[in-house]
Amino acid sequence: MDTSEALQLRIRAATEKDVLLGMFFDSSMENLQRQLGHTEAEAIRKEVFGSRNIVSFFRYPVADLLKLADLGVKRSKSSSRSYNESIAEFGRAAVNYFFDSQAGKMMSFLSGDEPHRLMASSPAAYKAVTAFGERSYERVSPRSGRLICHGELLGAAWTQGVVEQALLKAAKVTARVRMEVKNPSASDFIAHVEW
């Protein structure tokens, strides 16, 4: 589903207007520190950002985040995970970071433990924290739905990690997510979700 080549296509497709909140960088750095240790994670951060500091609620280019994730996966010593699964882990880390924030706690409170309500609120939540992509959610049955994404520069694997972790953390259900990727960059896809 997601490969370094697909991620590189998303980096090249991203413009300077394609930005997202710094909290994604914060969660990705925490993930890298868990995977690689502080020293190696910090070396990757400096390679991508130089001496720039990241502030959680300022906006930064998504291309920089993708470069950070790609370098982290390639330098990981763990060969037990595929590239796709490693990118999905960044999505899971972002969810954990978000739901620990005040905004995430409010979203969790408002959606309750109803999976459809949580999934239906995700397009608006993405719109609040990113400046790219179009997303919509369709209920399919009482225990399934579809998240449809176009121009999602984080990619299908990242989004799969987000969906699985959000449903587990906020709605307390274990989801089965099947990704139907529509283009070579894995930026257009449908996440088929069941719980």
Side-chain angles (χ1 to χ4, degrees):
M1 174 179 27
D2 208 352
T3 62
S4 181
E5 293 77 18
L7 188 140
Q8 295 302 320
L9 289 173
R10 296 195 303 273
I11 289 172
R12 287 196 292 278
T15 70
E16 61 186 41
K17 293 180 181 178
D18 295 321
V19 295
L20 71 173
L21 289 180
M23 63 183 268
F24 286 90
F25 295 89
D26 293 338
S27 68
S28 293
M29 281 304 299
E30 286 182 2
N31 187 47
L32 286 178
Q33 288 172 2
R34 277 191 303 277
Q35 301 293 322
L36 306 173
H38 178 77
T39 303
E40 184 65 21
E42 188 59 25
I44 292 171
R45 189 197 72 72
K46 284 184 179 174
E47 190 172 330
V48 175
F49 299 110
S51 61
R52 287 185 294 165
N53 287 324
I54 302 296
V55 178
S56 288
F57 290 99
F58 288 2
R59 293 181 180 261
Y60 301 93
V62 67
D64 288 346
L65 181 66
L66 295 173
K67 290 173 192 172
L68 184 84
D70 186 53
L71 285 172
V73 171
K74 288 177 177 174
R75 293 187 187 165
S76 176
K77 315 242 184 323
S78 170
S79 60
S80 61
R81 280 191 211 179
S82 68
Y83 188 91
N84 187 72
E85 178 58 30
S86 295
I87 294 297
E89 189 60 34
F90 282 94
R92 289 184 197 96
V95 167
N96 289 333
Y97 192 91
F98 175 72
F99 279 115
D100 288 340
S101 73
Q102 286 303 106
K105 288 175 184 171
M106 179 60 73
M107 182 178 173
S108 183
F109 173 76
L110 292 173
S111 65
D113 61 357
E114 212 300 300
H116 282 298
R117 192 176 321 151
L118 179 67
M119 291 300 298
S121 67
S122 66
Y126 267 104
K127 191 66 111 179
V129 297
T130 67
F132 54 84
E134 297 174 22
R135 300 152 197 95
S136 61
Y137 178 71
E138 298 173 355
R139 180 184 181 119
V140 174
S141 76
R143 299 181 57 85
S144 68
R146 284 190 289 258
L147 180 64
I148 303 158
C149 300
H150 298 283
E152 174 51 78
L153 295 173
L154 292 173
W158 188 300
T159 303
Q160 181 174 352
V162 165
V163 169
E164 290 169 348
Q165 191 66 17
L167 286 168
L168 182 63
K169 190 154 178 113
K172 310 293 187 264
V173 296
T174 301
R176 290 174 307 286
V177 181
R178 181 179 59 83
M179 303 304 285
E180 181 183 345
V181 177
K182 302 290 193 174
N183 63 351
S185 68
S187 62
D188 295 346
F189 53 87
I190 301 172
H192 299 272
V193 186
E194 297 179 354
W195 55 87

